[in-house]
Amino acid sequence: MGRIIAQTKVTNLFDERKSIQCGMFVDTGAGALILPMAWKERLGRFQRSDAVELQLANGDVVNGEACWPVEIEIEGFRPVSNEVVFLESGGDNGEVVEPLLGYVILEQAQAAVDMVGHRLVPVRYIDLK
């Protein structure tokens, strides 16, 4: 399977001057939007935040911080409101955290993964089944 990188902008909804724009790895195995903890200051102060535990693909459990509300705009798709999860490192081996765009955000933005074309494609309807 190929890598899909989506240009994405994340904006703090209580301070719209604070935003991050970068290419994010589309990861349908992740639910949330994940950013490195080192980037948190770039988005300013948040209205809400909470400590969370996350389980990595290798089974490791790591600590993170969920912060909201943010606007998430994937290039070519409608913006959505959700939270961003900041993660210190990728487990005990200290791997660098890569910005990840998870399936919850993709579904909200009506974006689907085209496995053949290795790209995001629009979904016509929001799934209520």
Side-chain angles (χ1 to χ4, degrees):
M1 181 167 80
R3 288 175 56 95
I4 300 172
I5 305 295
Q7 291 301 313
T8 306
K9 182 178 181 182
V10 181
T11 304
N12 184 332
L13 285 176
F14 280 91
D15 187 351
E16 294 185 6
R17 298 168 298 156
K18 304 286 186 171
S19 66
I20 294 173
Q21 188 163 352
C22 67
M24 295 190 187
F25 178 60
V26 174
D27 185 354
T28 58
L33 174 92
I34 309 290
L35 293 179
M37 185 66 79
W39 293 10
K40 183 179 174 201
E41 282 188 29
R42 292 169 53 188
L43 287 174
R45 294 187 63 223
F46 289 93
Q47 185 73 16
R48 305 245 190 244
S49 68
D50 201 10
V52 293
E53 291 185 326
L54 302 103
Q55 187 171 29
L56 304 177
N58 66 5
D60 288 352
V61 175
V62 295
N63 295 315
E65 183 179 1
C67 299
W68 68 95
V70 295
E71 180 179 79
I72 303 159
E73 187 172 359
I74 304 166
E75 187 176 283
F77 296 89
R78 69 184 188 90
V80 299
S81 296
N82 207 306
E83 66 183 20
V84 58
V85 177
F86 293 99
L87 187 58
E88 192 67 55
S89 69
D92 292 335
N93 57 9
E95 292 177 8
V96 174
V97 174
E98 182 173 17
L100 300 178
L101 192 55
Y103 71 86
V104 171
I105 309 305
L106 295 174
E107 286 181 358
Q108 279 185 297
Q110 293 179 255
V113 175
D114 172 3
M115 298 298 286
V116 176
H118 301 291
R119 61 192 175 123
L120 293 178
V121 294
V123 174
R124 186 172 179 178
Y125 303 109
I126 295 174
D127 189 7
L128 292 178
K129 297 182 260 176

